[in-house]
Amino acid sequence: MTLKVMTVYGTRPEAIKVAPVVKALEACPDFESTTVVTGQHREMLDQVNAIFGIVPDHDLDVFAHGQTLNSIMAKVFDRLDPVLVQERPDAVVVQGDTSTVAAASIAAFYRQIPVVHIEAGLRSGDISSPFPEEANRKLTSQVTALHLAPTSTSRDNLVREDIDAATIAVTGNTVIDALLHTVEQQIPFTDARLAEAERSGRSVMLVTTHRRENWGGAMEGVGRALKALAQRYPEQLLVLPAHRNPIVREAVLPYLMGLGNVVVTEPLAYGEFTRLMAASKIVLTDSGGVQEEAPSLGKPVLVMRENTERPEAVDAGTVRLIGTDEQRIVDEVSRLMDDDSHYASMANAVNPYGDGRAAERSVAAMRQLFGLGERIADFA
Ligand code: UD1
Ligand code: UDP
């Protein structure tokens, strides 16, 4: 008997992080894998599916420019429910903490379908930051049958919230599976400016920003800080693959006009983005996934947030939380640029988030959920 496992996802980072699990489910004879994209993201989601060769079985097509949190939630509830009724999956798999995840997990719970949560147990401890992700993760944990925690820290967070330890497996983060697989392929740059920077060996600082709680004044401060840094270090190339959100672009991009050592790109295909990360001297970001990937490539990461639900690489010394104050961003980047010993102290390759076997552990834990086998030893 095969069991039907339905993976529901909606944004770029979810697509990257579920891809290894979807592939592992497809390869497991116990399971029939079905995929549903909510389409919370559009171009940024489709790009990742294309790279990993995943053609979703259902597309809820909820995307709208200027979508609100409530409109995403309402559409996902409304459009996922008939698919759950039609497909009658034995389990629904979700990943992370987006609006797609909160809505899909609750929708599955309401249909009494067991929920499997990948990347369970991350906590910043502040319900308003990251917003609304901290709430989304906690809501999802309440309705989850199998919690796939990436690290022992995230497992401990769940246990502290009275979640039964027997329902938690520590798998490592599936992003490391995706990263290792992709870096290995050595996909070349299609953007001529990036190819030239690589050829010339020019020093690169990679920047990404999109966090909702930074929208507005904080993000404009990021734009001003980037301008100041581009002017202070003219030999350095600043590369900003810009999130598609117009709110982000309108806040940051005006400050970067006319600067010869700043390259703004559309969202990069995952293979090119990881290549760029590996070639960069410094990574400046507010992204969750980039905080997990860059440390394993040995890159110092400055995180433009006040807190993080990913403390492991901070503890290892490779990631530093610097907030969004404009002057602080300039000072912290300058310190990495000017102080070689400080740079060396942060440029350590650490792998606290995974060993490339997270998808395998996730599928083994799902088999155990259905009484079909044993788990693999937890990621340590
Ligand atoms: C969402 C997630 C966030 C995650 C991020 C990853 C929520 C509440 N937020 O934030 O947790 O870290 O994705 O990037 O779930 N847009 C496009 N094309 C796209 C994607 C987005 O044009 O392919 C634009 C649209 O104008 C859209 C806006 O970006 O309205 C915001 O997208 P949305 O998914 O609502 O929020 P993100 O900020 O991307
Ligand atoms: N990423 C990408 N192209 C880009 C920027 C990011 O493929 O131009 C990847 C990155 O490697 C990481 C993920 O997208 O795996 C992070 O997505 P994002 O920052 O949008 O979301 P978050 O992780 O903060 O939820």
Side-chain angles (χ1 to χ4, degrees):
M1 185 186 67
T2 54
L3 295 162
K4 188 182 279 190
V5 176
M6 176 182 282
T7 307
V8 184
Y9 58 104
T11 66
R12 168 172 67 191
E14 292 164 75
I16 292 167
K17 290 172 169 180
V18 300
V21 179
V22 168
K23 297 286 175 194
L25 284 168
E26 284 171 357
C28 177
D30 294 322
F31 296 126
E32 178 194 339
S33 168
T34 316
T35 48
V36 178
V37 291
T38 63
Q40 176 178 336
H41 279 178
R42 196 68 276 173
E43 310 88 332
M44 287 164 62
L45 169 73
D46 299 342
Q47 185 182 45
V48 179
N49 279 328
I51 289 165
F52 286 98
I54 295 172
V55 181
D57 298 302
H58 298 271
D59 189 337
L60 308 182
D61 199 20
V62 306
F63 177 82
H65 280 293
Q67 58 200 5
T68 63
L69 300 178
N70 285 327
S71 70
I72 299 167
M73 295 293 281
K75 283 187 190 171
V76 173
F77 275 120
D78 195 39
R79 297 183 192 180
L80 181 58
D81 194 48
V83 180
L84 295 175
V85 171
Q86 180 200 327
E87 293 272 0
R88 304 172 67 84
D90 296 291
V92 163
V93 177
V94 293
Q95 191 287 332
D97 52 20
T98 66
S99 294
T100 284
V101 178
S105 57
I106 293 170
F109 177 75
Y110 286 166
R111 286 287 173 190
Q112 297 183 296
I113 301 164
V115 174
V116 178
H117 186 202
I118 303 172
E119 201 182 77
L122 274 64
R123 297 288 185 269
S124 70
D126 178 353
I127 199 75
S128 61
S129 171
F131 176 85
E133 291 83 0
E134 180 79 354
N136 286 343
R137 315 172 173 127
K138 293 180 96 166
L139 290 166
T140 301
S141 294
Q142 297 309 305
V143 295
T144 289
L146 174 61
H147 308 260
L148 302 176
T151 67
S152 56
T153 306
S154 40
R155 180 204 45 220
D156 294 348
N157 290 336
L158 292 168
V159 170
R160 215 174 294 119
E161 291 174 8
D162 290 333
I163 286 174
D164 179 0
T167 65
I168 308 169
V170 182
T171 58
N173 199 308
T174 57
V175 80
I176 303 299
D177 300 28
L179 177 72
L180 296 178
H181 169 77
T182 307
V183 166
E184 203 180 84
Q185 294 176 38
Q186 302 204 335
I187 295 159
F189 291 117
T190 53
D191 187 310
R193 298 166 298 177
L194 302 181
E196 174 50 29
E198 185 179 58
R199 233 186 338 266
S200 66
R202 190 166 182 186
S203 174
V204 168
M205 179 167 83
L206 172 60
V207 186
T208 80
T209 182
H210 72 80
R211 288 252 83 81
R212 185 173 287 262
E213 64 274 12
N214 292 348
W215 288 0
M219 215 166 258
E220 288 176 24
V222 171
R224 284 191 296 271
L226 293 178
K227 178 177 183 172
L229 287 163
Q231 289 171 334
R232 182 178 290 186
Y233 299 100
E235 76 290 356
Q236 180 84 4
L237 194 66
L238 267 65
V239 183
L240 175 74
H243 191 286
R244 296 288 298 215
N245 192 344
I247 295 174
V248 173
R249 293 185 174 204
E250 281 158 24
V252 178
L253 301 195
Y255 295 102
L256 306 180
M257 306 287 263
L259 294 167
N261 59 335
V262 175
V263 169
V264 177
T265 73
E266 288 303 316
L268 292 175
Y270 189 55
E272 288 178 69
F273 186 79
T274 54
R275 188 181 184 106
L276 184 61
M277 218 172 2
S280 297
K281 180 180 169 81
I282 298 169
V283 178
L284 178 65
T285 190
D286 59 18
S287 161
V290 175
Q291 268 178 80
E292 293 156 341
E293 295 164 333
S296 74
L297 299 171
K299 302 299 163 180
V301 188
L302 299 176
V303 174
M304 298 180 286
R305 286 181 45 185
E306 305 301 334
N307 61 26
T308 183
E309 57 289 311
R310 295 168 167 94
E312 293 87 348
V314 177
D315 295 342
T318 304
V319 168
R320 233 172 121 76
L321 281 178
I322 63 167
T324 52
D325 177 71
E326 188 182 327
Q327 191 56 47
R328 174 106 195 263
I329 295 171
V330 174
D331 291 345
E332 292 283 353
V333 173
S334 301
R335 192 169 161 216
L336 275 176
M337 291 293 293
D338 300 340
D339 179 345
D340 289 346
S341 66
H342 177 57
Y343 184 88
S345 74
M346 285 187 73
N348 297 311
V350 290
N351 283 303
Y353 298 113
D355 59 1
R357 293 183 63 199
E360 193 186 336
R361 287 194 192 86
S362 301
V363 172
M366 285 186 232
R367 290 184 75 244
Q368 191 203 35
L369 177 70
F370 291 109
L372 300 172
E374 295 298 317
R375 284 190 197 162
I376 300 174
D378 278 352
F379 166 67

